[in-house]
Amino acid sequence: MTQDCIFCNIANGKTDTEFLYEDDHLVVFRDIKPHAPVHLLIVPKRHIRSVNDLTDDHRSILGDLFMAARDMAKKEGVDRSGYKLLFNVEKGGGQVIFHLHLHLMGGWKR
Ligand code: AMP
Ligand code: ZN
């Protein structure tokens, strides 16, 4: 855990952010500035800066992130209508919080 990292603080229960899901490895909560009717963030508890920093050690957490995305899409009722999964990577890729997170966005009427 990195003390001045906002997602480390959230994921380790140091803020009042409400979790939609939590297990030993990750948490899921709503994006504070949603870009879609359903906009969730799926965040590992371990501090990993970005996709660039992934190592062999992180293989299982990546699987966990995607399985949580699948489950949360169903829970939020967007699995059949469809959704986007997105990792922003570093500044040029739109990343503003440098703790790996998977965006799940859906719920548009199309
Ligand atoms: P990114 O641009 O991929 O780094 O995305 C960071 C996301 O975190 C943005 O969509 C923000 O709206 C969101 N965010 C920042 N602070 C919080 C917070 N305290 N609780 C929930 N979402 C947050
Ligand atoms: Zn962190």
Side-chain angles (χ1 to χ4, degrees):
M1 153 149 187
T2 304
Q3 251 163 18
D4 54 2
C5 168
I6 176 156
F7 280 6
C8 276
N9 283 313
I10 291 176
N12 290 284
K14 305 251 183 286
T15 71
D16 56 7
T17 300
E18 189 186 325
F19 297 148
L20 304 178
Y21 175 77
E22 177 178 17
D23 64 23
D24 289 346
H25 306 293
L26 61 87
V27 296
V28 181
F29 52 91
R30 291 195 195 282
D31 196 293
I32 208 167
K33 276 196 201 157
H35 289 269
V38 173
H39 188 170
L40 309 184
L41 298 174
I42 303 165
V43 181
K45 289 187 173 176
R46 272 179 83 174
H47 183 86
I48 304 162
R49 178 183 164 95
S50 82
V51 168
N52 287 339
D53 301 279
L54 290 167
T55 66
D56 276 350
D57 237 28
H58 298 128
R59 285 181 191 279
S60 74
I61 191 65
L62 285 178
D64 294 342
L65 294 178
F66 280 100
M67 296 308 228
R70 176 203 61 191
D71 293 346
M72 292 309 301
K74 189 160 192 193
K75 239 183 181 167
E76 294 284 311
V78 299
D79 55 328
R80 295 292 159 204
S81 55
Y83 53 95
K84 295 180 197 290
L85 294 175
L86 174 73
F87 287 103
N88 291 325
V89 184
E90 296 296 335
K91 285 199 182 83
Q95 189 175 6
V96 297
I97 298 199
F98 297 99
H99 176 129
L100 188 78
H101 52 280
L102 178 59
H103 293 260
L104 188 166
M105 289 172 280
W108 302 280
K109 296 221 183 319
R110 281 178 177 162

